[in-house]
C-alpha cells in the first residue's frame, strides 16, 4: 500500500504542530520547513480541520494548532481522513471486475487481512510517538530558530 503525498504532508503538518505546541503554527513557516507551497498545505489542512485533528485561529496573529493532544491522534486517524481509497486490488471496489471468484476469492481475503494488519499498526502509533522519536525535531524543523528571531531583545 502506498500512501498519497497528501497523507504524508498531513502527518508532517501534525508533527510540526505537535513539536511547536507552545504556540500557534503558521502555514508559511510549515511550508518553509518542508519546502512545499503554502497552497498545497492549505488544501491538505481542510480535511484535518473538518475532522477535528487541527484547529485554526483567524486573525493577524492566527495560525493552526492540534485539535486534540498529539497522544490522542493515531496515524490511522490521519490516514482515514486523507486517503480516498484503500482498495488494494480491483476486486476491492464496489463495481468489482468480472471475476467468477469475486465472492469466494482467497486473494481478496488475504489482501483484506493484510490491510487490517496495516491499519492495526498505524493505530498503535501516534503523532506524539513520531515527534518523540526525534528529540531534536524542533531544531530540524527550524522552530527553535524562529523562536530566537521572535524573542525580544533585552
Amino acid at each position: 500500500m502506498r500512501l498519497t503525498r497528501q497523507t504524508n504532508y498531513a502527518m508532517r503538518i501534525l508533527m510540526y504542530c505537535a513539536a511547536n505546541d507552545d504556540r500557534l503554527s503558521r502555514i508559511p513557516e510549515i511550508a518553509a520547513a518542508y519546502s512545499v507551497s503554502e497552497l498545497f498545505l492549505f488544501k491538505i489542512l481542510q480535511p484535518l480541520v473538518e475532522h477535528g485533528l487541527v484547529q485554526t485561529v483567524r486573525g493577524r496573529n492566527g495560525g493552526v494548532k492540534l485539535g486534540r493532544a498529539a497522544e490522542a491522534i493515531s496515524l490511522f486517524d490521519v490516514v482515514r481522513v486523507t486517503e480516498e481509497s484503500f482498495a488494494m486490488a480491483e476486486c476491492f471496489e464496489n463495481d468489482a471486475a468480472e471475476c467468477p471468484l469475486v465472492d469466494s476469492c482467497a486473494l481478496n481475503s488475504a489482501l483484506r487481512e493484510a490491510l487490517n494488519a496495516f491499519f492495526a499498526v498505524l493505530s498503535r502509533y501516534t503523532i506524539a510517538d513520531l515527534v518523540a522519536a526525534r528529540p531534536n525535531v524542533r531544531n530540524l524543523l527550524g522552530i527553535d530558530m524562529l523562536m530566537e528571531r521572535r524573542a525580544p531583545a533585552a
Side-chain angles (χ1 to χ4, degrees):
M1 169 135 222
R2 181 182 176 108
L3 298 176
T4 61
R5 187 170 182 239
Q6 286 80 356
T7 297
N8 182 4
Y9 281 94
M11 291 198 195
R12 292 180 191 209
I13 290 170
L14 295 169
M15 289 172 63
Y16 189 100
C17 291
N20 191 34
D21 65 348
D22 55 336
R23 68 177 193 86
L24 291 174
S25 299
R26 293 185 171 84
I27 294 301
E29 295 167 357
I30 300 171
Y34 294 122
S35 300
V36 294
S37 79
E38 293 176 32
L39 183 59
F40 176 66
L41 292 185
F42 277 116
K43 288 178 183 177
I44 294 168
L45 202 58
Q46 184 178 3
L48 299 178
V49 171
E50 287 173 4
H51 289 88
L53 299 178
V54 172
Q55 290 180 351
T56 59
V57 176
R58 295 178 187 253
R60 185 169 171 257
N61 294 317
V64 296
K65 63 181 181 177
L66 294 180
R68 56 186 193 246
E71 296 81 9
I73 302 173
S74 75
L75 302 188
F76 180 60
D77 292 335
V78 182
V79 168
R80 187 175 33 202
V81 165
T82 56
E83 290 293 322
E84 289 183 20
S85 172
F86 297 108
M88 293 179 68
E90 192 176 15
C91 54
F92 269 46
E93 301 289 338
N94 289 339
D95 53 349
E98 299 286 328
C99 176
L101 301 176
V102 75
D103 291 327
S104 61
C105 180
L107 173 61
N108 194 322
S109 176
L111 291 176
R112 284 196 191 284
E113 184 178 343
L115 185 61
N116 288 334
F118 178 65
F119 291 156
V121 171
L122 291 177
S123 294
R124 288 197 315 255
Y125 290 90
T126 67
I127 295 299
D129 295 330
L130 299 183
V131 172
R134 295 275 185 233
N136 62 340
V137 72
R138 288 178 58 88
N139 187 43
L140 292 171
L141 293 173
I143 294 170
D144 289 334
M145 188 171 49
L146 284 170
M147 298 304 288
E148 289 171 10
R149 275 194 252 148
R150 290 192 177 158

